[in-house]
Amino acid sequence: MISKKVHMNDISKSSFSRLVSYMTDSQEKANRIGDISITNCHSDNLEWAKLEIKNTQLLNVRAKSDKTYHLLISFPPGENVDKDTLSAIEDELCSSLGYSEHQRISVVHHDTDNLHIHVAINKVHPTRLTLHEPYNDYYIRNNVCSMLEDKYNLQKDNHVNERSASQNAARDMEKIAGIESLITYISKLNLNDSKSWAELHSTLNDNGLEIKLRGNGLVFENIESGLTVKSSSVGYSKSKLEKKLGIFTPNKNFKQSSRTYRKKPIKSKVDTTELFLKYKQNNANLKNKRNDLYKNARLNRDRLIQEAKDRAKLKRTLLKNTKNNPFKKILYKSIYSTLLNDIQKIKKSYNKEILAAKNMKPVSWLQWLQNEAKTGNKEVLSVLRSRNSKSNNPSSDNSIYSEQCAYHEIIPGIKIDNVTKNGNIIYNVADSKIKDTGAAILTSSDSTKNGLAAAILMAKYRYGQNLTVNGNDEFKRKIANIVVEKNINVNFSDPNLEKYKNELLGDKNEHRTGTKRHRESPPSIRSRAESRTRTRTNSGQRKFISRIINIGRIVLGTIAVGSHNMRKLSECNMASIERRSKVLLQTNERDNLENNRTGSADTVRRNVDSGRVKVFGYDVDSAAILAANKYIEERNEKAKKMFDIKKHIQYNELDSGSTSYSYNGIRYINGQPLALFETDNNSIAVVPVSKEIENKLRKCSRGTLITINKSGGFNIKQNRRKR
């Protein structure tokens, strides 16, 4: 853990409200803003607290320095700290600096590889109105950070500063912008081999540099740009050089050189020459576009103002030519007032256009790479990930990975929330932050169940079925539980975790088998169903119809063999009533049907068998089969672009026999109902259904276990709700 005071070089630009607005700006990132804390203010509302602190600062009229202390607390990559620990660390750091009673607002940020906190502190005491500036705060913060690392068992960090202020500024520039600094450029030159001032001047000239006297010391100056750096910032102070080379002598044999310092990306393993040219061209186009906006806004403003003046002049001319008008003076004033209002509106619109042009600022090299990486550019992503290999370590806590090389590509079908400067892609899925480093999929400790399931599917898409899970035992068990619950087909490299998963699968299968036996229709219900669906054959023997639809333990009725429709009316048995007093009831209608059937009338009946198709023993339109084929083709084509869409298969690709499947809803394609069932091999079967079965399925919730028997029938099982 490290802490830093962010300096405001220009006091006139210091604003507590502006700083808090930056801290609480989401920047269109779902995971940027974490917890927001307000301390020592009368109001817990952010806007009221900002106003209260601003007024407190205005009460101190004597202080001329910056009245806001901007404290930054950052943790190493991969370290997750809970909310209570973060609050305690902030309190102890602020107390050690003497700001325990001062007003402050803190915001936790998650948009980078490092978890960090921004703390805006009011230096003006709320009651005494005195300004407190801690002395040697750097040493205080470093000592407290070391103590807090031991107290809360955090990762150890280096708190010894071996760099000067200029070196720290150059390092920050390289880290934020990704551009090599002049200090780094000079440090690469081997100046220690120079044995005289003439030799030193010659070496510097060959690299486009010059050394000059400045005050009581020396400076290195870039000849082309005029940029200067203190010689002591790169380890070549005046006293050190004069001790080695003698009294300083200026350069007398100046010569031009083609090699010089220019702003270019920091050297990495990947060649960025073409990308940097593209970046410079992009900034040049942006600059030209902004200049065009300025020019067009000015021309448009001048044109509109001139048109308003011309209208006013025309009105005055017409009014001047009118005679005997007692209201001329009032009308002249009205024309002038209208002109002023028109000019004011034009200038207001012009200011908006200028402000929009000013906001079109060129982005830094690293920011441009981040924006390009969001579009899926593999080359750009590899450049970012080559900057720092430490953040891509797959052995971080709460990570899922495989023993394979890193992938420089994004996972399709998921909205990218942010791309960090080290090339880590942050997704926001199911209110959870998932980080893809290429070498591993990392999740936060507070991820939801659906968020962890998405992380597992992403890891499976990226690395295959054999995965390694890193984290504490609780995290590993949670991953295994989700794999079993969501029926995700993956294996774990950890034998203990794989054994735990198999035990869960065994318990689940036993529970499902026991539930199946328990859910089968009891004898009493089954006998009643059979009595209602049996019929007599010509030999007098009873024949039972086996196709029964059972929803929620209740037999909902039977589907008669050869349903009586209009086209088969001539083949139906006829009912016979011997006396008028007898009534044919629903319960005995089949027993009163004559055995002698009427003659077939196939000669006058159209053959329509081609328009109907048998699916699991019931008839569906052939149009439903075409609709199913269309839906399956569309979903499988979309699955090539989105990782979380499962493979869709035809109904006739299901395993033979009677198998239980998980109901996954109904889709309508061209008006045809298609039932979706999740199979054991993590695919979706698309089954065309009749209107009757559609109505039964619509009463079922997703996840209902349904037995599909190829010999004919659906057995739908759903847990009965407790009353």
Side-chain angles (χ1 to χ4, degrees):
M1 178 184 70
I2 60 173
S3 62
K4 178 182 178 181
K5 177 186 177 182
V6 182
H7 293 273
M8 177 60 71
N9 296 326
D10 191 347
I11 305 302
S12 62
K13 294 182 180 179
S14 176
S15 171
F16 192 92
S17 297
R18 193 182 300 120
L19 173 59
V20 174
S21 297
Y22 160 76
M23 291 161 48
T24 55
D25 183 13
S26 65
Q27 297 181 358
E28 300 181 354
K29 302 172 186 175
N31 289 304
R32 183 174 192 260
I33 305 301
D35 296 317
I36 300 176
S37 176
I38 301 174
T39 308
N40 295 329
C41 291
H42 291 89
S43 176
D44 291 333
N45 181 274
L46 186 64
E47 296 301 323
W48 283 105
K50 286 163 58 178
L51 185 61
E52 179 184 344
I53 294 173
K54 180 180 178 181
N55 290 331
T56 303
Q57 290 181 338
L58 291 175
L59 291 175
N60 185 317
V61 296
R62 294 182 300 172
K64 302 300 180 184
S65 60
D66 189 4
K67 299 178 183 179
T68 302
Y69 192 102
H70 184 185
L71 175 65
L72 180 63
I73 308 170
S74 180
F75 299 87
E79 185 169 48
N80 294 316
V81 186
D82 59 85
K83 179 180 178 181
D84 295 335
T85 304
L86 289 177
S87 179
I89 290 173
E90 176 193 333
D91 288 339
E92 295 197 38
L93 268 172
C94 292
S95 298
S96 65
L97 294 171
Y99 291 124
S100 59
E101 298 179 357
H102 288 239
Q103 301 160 323
R104 68 176 186 268
I105 297 176
S106 64
V107 182
V108 180
H109 282 183
H110 300 282
D111 59 329
T112 65
D113 295 311
N114 307 74
L115 173 69
H116 59 280
I117 315 173
H118 288 272
V119 187
I121 307 173
N122 180 16
K123 291 183 182 179
V124 179
H125 195 276
T127 56
R128 297 193 297 268
L129 302 180
T130 55
L131 186 142
H132 172 65
E133 184 69 58
Y135 178 71
N136 279 345
D137 57 334
Y138 172 80
Y139 299 101
I140 297 174
R141 288 186 280 103
N142 280 357
N143 293 332
V144 174
C145 285
S146 298
M147 181 269 293
L148 293 175
E149 288 172 349
D150 295 331
K151 182 176 181 180
Y152 295 106
N153 194 24
L154 302 175
Q155 296 183 33
K156 298 289 185 179
D157 217 321
N158 181 24
H159 300 288
V160 179
N161 187 16
E162 298 177 352
R163 301 183 182 91
S164 64
S166 299
Q167 290 174 327
N168 283 329
R171 183 171 175 268
D172 290 343
M173 183 195 81
E174 292 177 347
K175 188 175 181 180
I176 295 172
I179 299 297
E180 185 182 67
S181 65
L182 180 58
I183 289 180
T184 302
Y185 177 78
I186 298 173
S187 300
K188 293 179 179 179
L189 304 178
N190 191 9
L191 302 180
N192 290 323
D193 294 340
S194 302
K195 299 179 180 179
S196 64
W197 284 107
E199 190 174 344
L200 177 62
H201 288 310
S202 177
T203 304
L204 292 173
N205 283 165
D206 291 340
N207 293 277
L209 299 172
E210 188 177 4
I211 189 169
K212 296 180 178 180
L213 283 172
R214 178 75 57 86
N216 293 327
L218 297 173
V219 294
F220 291 106
E221 180 180 350
N222 182 35
I223 299 173
E224 185 176 282
S225 63
L227 188 65
T228 59
V229 169
K230 281 178 154 184
S231 60
S232 57
S233 299
V234 287
Y236 300 102
S237 63
K238 182 182 178 183
S239 58
K240 182 179 179 180
L241 289 174
E242 288 186 336
K243 184 177 181 181
K244 180 181 179 181
L245 307 176
I247 303 299
F248 173 76
T249 56
N251 185 18
K252 296 180 180 179
N253 300 320
F254 178 77
K255 59 181 179 180
Q256 292 287 346
S257 174
S258 58
R259 190 174 187 274
T260 183
Y261 166 75
R262 291 187 179 92
K263 292 183 178 180
K264 61 180 182 180
I266 299 174
K267 189 176 181 181
S268 64
K269 299 177 182 178
V270 182
D271 185 15
T272 59
T273 305
E274 293 185 4
L275 284 175
F276 192 67
L277 289 175
K278 185 177 178 181
Y279 159 73
K280 291 174 68 176
Q281 184 62 42
N282 180 76
N283 277 356
N285 295 338
L286 186 66
K287 184 178 179 181
N288 294 333
K289 185 177 179 180
R290 185 173 57 178
N291 292 337
D292 291 340
L293 287 176
Y294 284 143
K295 181 180 178 180
N296 293 334
R298 286 192 294 267
L299 292 175
N300 189 46
R301 177 200 60 185
D302 296 340
R303 179 180 58 81
L304 293 176
I305 290 177
Q306 188 60 44
E307 289 178 358
K309 289 180 177 180
D310 292 341
R311 287 195 301 270
K313 184 178 180 180
L314 180 60
K315 291 178 182 179
R316 288 195 299 267
T317 302
L318 293 175
L319 183 59
K320 183 178 180 181
N321 293 332
T322 59
K323 298 180 180 180
N324 301 326
N325 189 342
F327 302 104
K328 272 191 174 183
K329 191 173 183 179
I330 297 175
L331 292 174
Y332 275 125
K333 288 184 178 180
S334 176
I335 293 171
Y336 181 70
S337 178
T338 302
L339 176 61
L340 291 181
N341 289 335
D342 290 344
I343 292 176
Q344 187 176 4
K345 290 179 181 179
I346 293 169
K347 289 184 176 180
K348 188 175 181 180
S349 177
Y350 166 76
N351 291 334
K352 288 183 179 179
E353 294 178 4
I354 291 298
L355 183 61
K358 285 183 177 180
N359 290 333
M360 295 177 60
K361 298 178 180 178
V363 295
S364 66
W365 163 244
L366 275 185
Q367 185 62 51
W368 183 81
L369 288 177
Q370 290 175 267
N371 296 337
E372 287 292 310
K374 287 184 179 181
T375 64
N377 192 322
K378 295 182 181 180
E379 184 182 4
V380 171
L381 203 56
S382 62
V383 170
L384 288 173
R385 287 178 174 171
S386 65
R387 298 183 65 248
N388 188 3
S389 59
K390 293 182 180 180
S391 63
N392 299 333
N393 185 8
S395 62
S396 303
D397 289 339
N398 297 349
S399 62
I400 307 172
Y401 61 99
S402 179
E403 301 298 335
Q404 299 181 17
C405 59
Y407 292 81
H408 300 310
E409 59 182 8
I410 64 173
I411 297 177
I414 314 178
K415 183 180 179 181
I416 298 176
D417 189 52
N418 185 33
V419 177
T420 67
K421 290 182 172 63
N422 290 328
N424 295 332
I425 305 172
I426 299 177
Y427 303 98
N428 183 36
V429 183
D431 297 328
S432 304
K433 185 180 72 170
I434 301 176
K435 184 186 293 185
D436 176 18
T437 67
I441 303 294
L442 284 73
T443 63
S444 56
S445 57
D446 56 349
S447 296
T448 62
K449 182 183 292 186
N450 290 335
L452 290 175
I456 298 169
L457 289 173
M458 291 165 67
K460 180 183 177 183
Y461 172 84
R462 175 60 58 79
Y463 309 114
Q465 293 184 348
N466 300 320
L467 301 177
T468 302
V469 180
N470 191 56
N472 54 30
D473 293 339
E474 181 183 359
F475 177 75
K476 291 182 178 180
R477 287 195 298 269
K478 189 183 295 185
I479 293 295
N481 289 330
I482 293 173
V483 165
V484 174
E485 180 181 346
K486 301 291 185 180
N487 196 23
I488 304 174
N489 187 18
V490 296
N491 301 318
F492 299 116
S493 60
D494 186 353
N496 294 328
L497 186 59
E498 181 68 15
K499 181 180 177 181
Y500 177 71
K501 184 201 76 172
N502 292 331
E503 290 175 355
L504 293 176
L505 284 173
D507 294 341
K508 183 179 180 181
N509 293 333
E510 289 178 5
H511 176 71
R512 178 179 291 183
T513 305
T515 305
K516 182 177 180 180
R517 291 196 300 268
H518 179 70
R519 291 297 184 191
E520 286 182 353
S521 300
S524 59
I525 297 178
R526 189 164 60 249
S527 62
R528 290 197 299 270
E530 292 169 352
S531 66
R532 289 196 299 268
T533 60
R534 64 194 176 188
T535 184
R536 291 184 180 274
T537 63
N538 293 332
S539 62
Q541 297 178 350
R542 296 185 181 275
K543 179 181 179 180
F544 297 95
I545 300 173
S546 61
R547 190 170 71 231
I548 299 175
I549 299 180
N550 182 4
I551 300 181
R553 292 187 179 182
I554 301 175
V555 179
L556 298 175
T558 63
I559 301 176
V561 176
S563 299
H564 302 329
N565 52 41
M566 292 297 292
R567 297 190 180 278
K568 297 184 179 182
L569 185 61
S570 62
E571 298 179 5
C572 296
N573 296 329
M574 304 300 293
S576 174
I577 302 177
E578 297 176 358
R579 300 185 184 89
R580 290 180 179 272
S581 60
K582 294 185 70 174
V583 180
L584 182 63
L585 299 178
Q586 184 179 8
T587 57
N588 61 2
E589 59 179 348
R590 291 186 180 273
D591 292 335
N592 286 275
L593 294 176
E594 290 183 347
N595 293 332
N596 296 328
R597 303 173 62 89
T598 58
S600 177
D602 292 337
T603 56
V604 294
R605 188 183 300 111
R606 286 188 291 112
N607 184 11
V608 293
D609 290 341
S610 60
R612 309 288 289 178
V613 180
K614 287 283 185 180
V615 176
F616 299 122
Y618 58 87
D619 293 335
V620 297
D621 293 334
S622 58
I625 303 297
L626 296 177
N629 293 338
K630 178 182 177 182
Y631 180 72
I632 291 171
E633 184 179 353
E634 290 178 352
R635 296 302 291 174
N636 288 336
E637 188 66 27
K638 199 169 185 179
K640 297 177 182 178
K641 301 178 181 179
M642 301 182 69
F643 83 98
D644 55 346
I645 296 180
K646 299 178 180 179
K647 180 184 178 182
H648 286 57
I649 61 175
Q650 294 277 6
Y651 69 93
N652 52 12
E653 296 182 40
L654 293 171
D655 297 333
S656 61
S658 179
T659 310
S660 295
Y661 302 101
S662 177
Y663 174 60
N664 208 31
I666 292 182
R667 300 293 184 270
Y668 295 90
I669 304 297
N670 298 333
Q672 301 294 333
L674 306 174
L676 306 182
F677 301 99
E678 186 172 350
T679 65
D680 293 335
N681 58 358
N682 209 23
S683 59
I684 300 294
V686 182
V687 182
V689 294
S690 63
K691 189 68 176 179
E692 182 180 1
I693 294 181
E694 173 201 353
N695 294 333
K696 307 304 181 185
L697 290 175
R698 290 183 65 177
K699 299 177 182 179
C700 301
S701 60
R702 294 184 64 180
T704 302
L705 292 179
I706 297 179
T707 300
I708 304 178
N709 192 339
K710 282 199 171 185
S711 62
F714 281 78
N715 189 15
I716 305 173
K717 300 181 178 183
Q718 191 171 16
N719 294 331
R720 189 187 296 238
R721 294 182 180 178
K722 295 183 180 179
R723 299 195 178 187

